[in-house]
């Protein structure tokens, strides 16, 4: 399946970031870097080649790290 990650950057304090998705074994199965971030940025993440399961998603920028989980069925 696919999902869309939306980043809101109203104050434009983030100029670039990296998105990583890790499987249950901690292996990186997706990595994407974005620069010139606008106030509203979206990334479509294609997981169609990944098996069903729970994935940890990290967004890493100079402001810190956001961690979340995505369930692919």
């Amino acid at each position: 399946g696919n999902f869309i990650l939306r980043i809101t950057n109203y104050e434009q304090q983030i100029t670039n970031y990296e998105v990583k998705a890790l499987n249950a074994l901690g292996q990186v199965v997706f990595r994407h870097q974005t620069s010139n971030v606008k106030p509203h940025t979206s990334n479509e993440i294609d997981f169609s080649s990944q098996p069903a399961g729970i994935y940890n998603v990290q967004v890493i920028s100079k402001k810190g790290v956001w961690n979340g989980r995505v369930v692919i069925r």
Side-chain angles (χ1 to χ4, degrees), residues 44-69:
E44 183 171 353
I45 299 177
D46 182 1
F47 266 49
S48 59
S49 64
Q50 298 299 323
I54 300 173
Y55 293 85
N56 292 311
V57 177
Q58 296 179 330
V59 179
I60 304 161
S61 76
K62 69 177 183 178
K63 299 294 283 182
V65 178
W66 175 86
N67 291 292
R69 289 193 176 164

Side-chain angles (χ1 to χ4, degrees), residues 1-64:
N2 294 353
F3 66 94
I4 296 176
L5 177 68
R6 290 189 176 92
I7 305 288
T8 302
N9 187 29
Y10 289 124
E11 297 175 13
Q12 298 192 355
Q13 295 179 353
I14 299 172
T15 55
N16 56 53
Y17 64 89
E18 178 181 24
V19 177
K20 291 194 307 186
L22 298 89
N23 64 16
L25 300 175
Q27 300 166 320
V28 176
V29 296
F30 177 87
R31 182 179 296 219
H32 179 76
Q33 290 186 326
T34 300
S35 58
N36 299 322
V37 179
K38 303 198 179 353
H40 298 281
T41 301
S42 296
N43 293 100
E44 183 171 353
I45 299 177
D46 182 1
F47 266 49
S48 59
S49 64
Q50 298 299 323
I54 300 173
Y55 293 85
N56 292 311
V57 177
Q58 296 179 330
V59 179
I60 304 161
S61 76
K62 69 177 183 178
K63 299 294 283 182

